[in-house]
Amino acid sequence: MYSVGIDIGGTSIKSGIVDEDGNILAQSAIPTVPSKGFELMVKEMAEEVDKLLSDQKISIDKVKGIGVGIPGIADNNSGIVRVAVNLGWRNVDLRAEFKKYFNTEIGLSNDANCAALGEQRFGSGRGFSDVVFVTIGTGVGSGIVVNGKLVAGNGSAGGESGHIVIVYDGNPCNCGRRGCWEAYASATALIGPTKKKMEEYPDSIMYEIAKAEGKVSGRTAFRAMDAGDVPAKEVVEQYLDYVASGLISLTNVLHPEAFLIGGGVSHEGDNLILPLKAKIDEYVHTSGMYPEVEVKQATLGNSAGLLGASALV
Amino acid sequence: MYSVGIDIGGTSIKSGIVDEDGNILAQSAIPTVPSKGFELMVKEMAEEVDKLLSDQKISIDKVKGIGVGIPGIADNNSGIVRVAVNLGWRNVDLRAEFKKYFNTEIGLSNDANCAALGEQRFGSGRGFSDVVFVTIGTGVGSGIVVNGKLVAGNGSAGGESGHIVIVYDGNPCNCGRRGCWEAYASATALIGPTKKKMEEYPDSIMYEIAKAEGKVSGRTAFRAMDAGDVPAKEVVEQYLDYVASGLISLTNVLHPEAFLIGGGVSHEGDNLILPLKAKIDEYVHTSGMYPEVEVKQATLGNSAGLLGASALV
């Protein structure tokens, strides 16, 4: 049997046919054009899927179902997308619309949840049934998988781990509240402390790095640390402690087998993964009888969403 | 069909026969005597269960199984109790030991998880499938139920929500780390701020309350607030904000249908529940399209553990 995954992004909509081992047999991409409106967008997705299936000579009765990843709030129970700002969708019945074209199971979830399921099933989380996927980039997002199934919360409103408060009354967050993990652990949150440290240390290598990149970014301190810059190392160490604080809070609540780390910052690789693992180990070992929690870099990259969507059905 | 619940506490071991609606048909209690050792303790529990069943003329083939709540780390997958300090148990195979006496399903979990399941199935959470039970007393404990099933984490090490960090580098916690929710939201954590405020306001009614009770406790500020004391109200308001901070973090992660609040502080009733509900509402409404989260006072009291244990099978 096969599954179809559709990953709706801000610029393109990817569709793919996936086998039970997570191999993408065929895929295609069309541009995301919200001005076409909901019904036409779904019609074009259905046409893409039809084309892929006929190219691969796979009949629809060999397809378990179609899973769709959405950049917004998508409730798999009702089949309704409550809101997807960038698509201009609000309270649209995605399941019913797809059912006009396909007599098969239709699953939907938000993009971070799909990526979590994709990584758990086919990527860095293969072999684990309980994982938390954390994507660290412009913001901090997450998806929770327990017993191989998404834990999306009532109305699919859970998995917003970026907004747990780690610093009571702390830095303002984009969400309107204060002290959220995202306000300390996102790539964006690295920029302020990097600039501040640069002001304190006018000789820091961070100046060269920033000049070469044209700006101070979430990478500046990491690259300067690699080049032996001590102030940059301090910035990174403080940052990693904030990242770890949130991961340890999630460990207390969910104690997954593994954290799977994706997003732009995950490309720091061992610079990020090893210190985070050490900090979580310290917590787990202090508390005594608890099993270890692995920390792994996500491996599927841009395919995680499509593969995870296919695993919704 | 019936189930048997056993709730092992620090002073007594309660056993009961429970029907499918959560009615306790018969129950008994024996003292907890750890010095008897693991095997004899289980033998005596088995005898209690035998007695209850024969008194009620219920044969063992009418019993779905026996669930046991443990004050410690109990892993329902393996059947092993990793550690129960107050019982002197360490890595004992509880399931195998019970199987010597009963050819039926044996479930086990820790006491907070059992209470969570009991409240969800038969108490304040009836009608909800996704709840987080939070017990606020000397410490802060929790149990998570998703789709009517416990989410206990790997090695049953999850559900320790009292140790999510809400104040980075904040007050020391009993767990050895800093800034945990428990260090701000437990009844114990109310004592320090109450004393501090009393020093600032020598005319506060809190002095009378404390004198009548013989000490400053987690109740002092609440009782003085009820009597119209303004400084006490400030203490309570700050405290409620800390409690709400943790609940909102858990909402971000899990978005349950309801929080069920138990433990000593829950007896404050509407003084506690209504402001917490208002603070969570404010968060949920700000974030837009998310469903509300109910906040309810736990109703089963001391029976929650026994009922929840019976629901493990």
Side-chain angles (χ1 to χ4, degrees), chain A residues 73 82-83 90-91 130 144 146-147 150-161 163-169 175-177 238 241-242 244-245 248-257 283 286-287 289-292, chain B residues 73 82-83 90-91 130 144 146-147 150-161 163-169 175-177 238 241-242 244-245 248-257 283 286-287 289-292:
Chain A
I73 306 174
R82 284 165 188 262
V83 63
R90 189 170 279 266
N91 288 317
D130 289 18
I144 301 164
V146 173
N147 279 331
L150 278 173
V151 171
N154 188 19
S156 296
E160 294 288 344
S161 307
H163 300 285
I164 60 174
V165 167
I166 68 163
V167 183
Y168 184 82
D169 210 21
C175 74
R177 297 176 68 237
Q238 176 63 71
D241 208 58
Y242 288 132
S245 178
I248 294 171
S249 285
L250 291 174
T251 301
N252 274 296
V253 178
L254 294 164
H255 213 102
E257 295 169 286
Y283 154 71
T286 305
S287 63
M289 306 294 290
Y290 289 158
E292 287 205 18
Chain B
I73 305 174
R82 285 166 187 263
V83 63
R90 189 169 279 266
N91 287 318
D130 289 17
I144 300 164
V146 173
N147 279 333
L150 278 174
V151 171
N154 188 19
S156 295
E160 294 287 343
S161 307
H163 300 285
I164 60 172
V165 167
I166 68 162
V167 183
Y168 184 82
D169 210 21
C175 75
R177 297 176 68 237
Q238 176 62 70
D241 209 57
Y242 287 133
S245 178
I248 294 171
S249 285
L250 291 174
T251 302
N252 274 295
V253 178
L254 293 164
H255 212 102
E257 294 169 287
Y283 155 71
T286 305
S287 63
M289 304 296 288
Y290 289 156
E292 287 205 16

Side-chain angles (χ1 to χ4, degrees), chain B residues 86-159:
Chain B
N86 294 332
L87 306 178
W89 296 359
R90 189 169 279 266
N91 287 318
V92 292
D93 191 337
L94 189 77
R95 178 170 292 140
E97 198 62 27
F98 264 98
K99 286 274 190 187
K100 288 184 185 170
Y101 304 99
F102 300 103
N103 182 21
T104 185
E105 190 189 341
I106 308 293
L108 59 157
S109 198
N110 78 30
D111 38 17
N113 282 343
C114 287
L117 198 58
E119 286 288 341
Q120 181 263 330
R121 198 73 63 88
F122 304 121
S124 53
R126 212 186 264 258
F128 297 121
S129 60
D130 289 17
V131 304
V132 178
F133 171 75
V134 178
T135 169
I136 309 179
T138 316
V140 174
S142 74
I144 300 164
V145 179
V146 173
N147 279 333
K149 296 215 165 98
L150 278 174
V151 171
N154 188 19
S156 295

Side-chain angles (χ1 to χ4, degrees), chain B residues 188-254:
Chain B
T188 322
L190 247 171
I191 296 173
T194 303
K195 285 182 174 168
K196 195 162 167 239
K197 192 67 92 175
M198 287 167 72
E199 283 168 24
E200 286 173 45
Y201 295 90
D203 296 337
S204 164
I205 299 171
M206 290 187 279
Y207 281 95
E208 289 169 43
I209 308 283
K211 199 176 169 190
E213 283 205 7
K215 64 178 179 193
V216 175
S217 77
R219 281 180 298 274
T220 310
F222 274 103
R223 291 294 74 69
M225 179 182 78
D226 287 344
D229 192 59
V230 173
K233 189 158 190 273
E234 290 170 9
V235 172
V236 170
E237 280 176 354
Q238 176 62 70
Y239 169 75
L240 292 173
D241 209 57
Y242 287 133
V243 177
S245 178
L247 293 178
I248 294 171
S249 285
L250 291 174
T251 302
N252 274 295
V253 178
L254 293 164

Side-chain angles (χ1 to χ4, degrees), chain A residues 75-229:
Chain A
D75 185 9
N76 199 26
N77 286 326
S78 62
I80 304 278
V81 177
R82 284 165 188 262
V83 63
V85 176
N86 295 332
L87 306 179
W89 295 0
R90 189 170 279 266
N91 288 317
V92 292
D93 192 337
L94 189 77
R95 177 170 291 140
E97 198 63 27
F98 264 97
K99 285 276 190 187
K100 288 184 185 171
Y101 304 100
F102 300 102
N103 182 22
T104 186
E105 190 189 342
I106 309 293
L108 58 158
S109 197
N110 78 29
D111 38 17
N113 282 342
C114 288
L117 198 58
E119 286 288 341
Q120 181 264 331
R121 199 71 65 86
F122 304 120
S124 52
R126 211 186 265 259
F128 299 121
S129 59
D130 289 18
V131 304
V132 178
F133 171 75
V134 178
T135 169
I136 310 179
T138 315
V140 174
S142 73
I144 301 164
V145 179
V146 173
N147 279 331
K149 295 214 166 99
L150 278 173
V151 171
N154 188 19
S156 296
E160 294 288 344
S161 307
H163 300 285
I164 60 174
V165 167
I166 68 163
V167 183
Y168 184 82
D169 210 21
N171 291 347
C173 181
N174 285 331
C175 74
R177 297 176 68 237
R178 283 185 167 275
C180 297
W181 191 26
E182 172 167 305
Y184 292 85
S186 66
T188 322
L190 248 171
I191 296 173
T194 302
K195 285 182 174 168
K196 194 161 167 241
K197 193 66 91 175
M198 287 168 71
E199 283 167 25
E200 286 173 44
Y201 295 90
D203 296 336
S204 164
I205 298 171
M206 290 187 279
Y207 281 95
E208 288 169 44
I209 308 282
K211 199 175 169 191
E213 284 204 5
K215 64 178 179 192
V216 175
S217 77
R219 282 180 298 275
T220 310
F222 275 102
R223 289 295 73 72
M225 179 183 76
D226 287 343
D229 192 58

Side-chain angles (χ1 to χ4, degrees), chain A residues 6-14 30-42 45 68-74 80-92 94 98 108-111:
Chain A
I6 300 177
D7 179 17
I8 308 180
T11 54
S12 72
I13 299 171
K14 285 178 284 184
I30 55 174
T32 306
V33 186
S35 60
K36 288 183 176 172
F38 169 65
E39 291 181 15
L40 182 54
M41 286 176 80
V42 173
M45 288 183 232
V68 190
I70 316 267
I73 306 174
I80 304 278
V81 177
R82 284 165 188 262
V83 63
V85 176
N86 295 332
L87 306 179
W89 295 0
R90 189 170 279 266
N91 288 317
V92 292
L94 189 77
F98 264 97
L108 58 158
S109 197
N110 78 29
D111 38 17

